[in-house]
Amino acid sequence: MTTTENKTLDILAIKSLLPHRYPLLLVDRVLTWESGKTITAIKNVTVNEEFFQGHFPHKPVMPGVLMIEALAQTAALLSFLTMGVKPDENSVVYFVGIDNARFKRPVEPGDQLKMDVEILRVSRGIWKYKAIGTVDGKVALEAELMCTIRSAQDASQSAAQSTSQPAGQ
């Protein structure tokens, strides 16, 4: 799948690359991507989203943590497209860190969150990205994200080892 051509992905292609499903699938369409470099995707924000019932009923606002998650899902798509692989049921993408997260404006029902993610570097299995979310050309949020891709078995073994080891060992 390595290419320098711009490509788009519809929701079916996105679902083939991400394990997330409703209500946590937060990418509706990929507008363009370039392997090893950048991706631009969108999330159409509608009043029908479950989180708006409680956040906040009198003034619906998309939670910041879900906006960060949407950026992370976009970053994961870019990673899988860059590697030229489709994850299987054993692939898990984990956050390693979020730096310099800033929220500049609320995202509300009717908005279209445009997500631009750029790979800054890949080192020892850790992917670092610069991610920006905009609405109508205005920055809504930005952050640097770090993720790693592991097999579910490796992740389970790491979790088991960390819970079975006393602190300091």
Side-chain angles (χ1 to χ4, degrees):
M1 272 192 203
T2 55
T3 182
T4 57
E5 294 176 29
N6 287 337
K7 300 208 182 240
T8 63
L9 299 176
D10 65 11
I11 192 64
L12 295 176
I14 290 167
K15 287 171 73 174
S16 76
L17 292 168
L18 291 179
H20 306 79
R21 295 298 179 261
Y22 179 82
L24 280 179
L25 179 58
L26 299 173
V27 180
D28 292 324
R29 177 171 293 278
V30 172
L31 302 176
T32 185
W33 62 274
E34 186 175 348
S35 182
K37 295 186 179 182
T38 63
I39 189 168
T40 300
I42 58 170
K43 163 68 177 144
N44 294 308
V45 182
T46 72
V47 74
N48 297 326
E49 316 251 10
E50 290 183 21
F51 53 80
F52 284 133
Q53 293 179 31
H55 198 268
F56 299 99
H58 62 284
K59 176 69 173 145
V61 176
M62 185 173 183
V65 68
L66 293 180
M67 291 188 285
I68 293 287
E69 175 65 22
L71 290 173
Q73 289 178 21
T74 303
L77 286 166
L78 180 57
S79 296
F80 288 125
L81 291 165
T82 295
M83 293 186 301
V85 299
K86 286 189 176 186
D88 59 21
E89 62 276 354
N90 292 316
S91 300
V92 181
V93 180
Y94 287 112
F95 263 127
V96 177
I98 304 167
D99 293 328
N100 303 314
R102 298 289 182 265
F103 300 93
K104 307 283 187 173
R105 70 173 297 270
V107 175
E108 302 169 330
D111 286 345
Q112 185 176 74
L113 181 62
K114 181 178 170 193
M115 300 167 288
D116 292 295
V117 176
E118 171 189 358
I119 296 173
L120 296 177
R121 72 174 175 270
V122 182
S123 177
R124 294 189 282 183
I126 305 293
W127 296 69
K128 185 170 184 177
Y129 318 87
K130 179 180 180 181
I132 299 173
T134 60
V135 174
D136 296 329
K138 296 178 185 133
V139 175
L141 75 151
E142 57 190 3
E144 290 178 0
L145 309 175
M146 290 164 284
C147 300
T148 189
I149 302 167
R150 299 282 188 244
S151 75
Q153 182 179 3
D154 290 345
S156 295
Q157 289 174 352
S158 294
Q161 289 171 354
S162 67
T163 57
S164 64
Q165 299 264 343
Q169 290 191 0

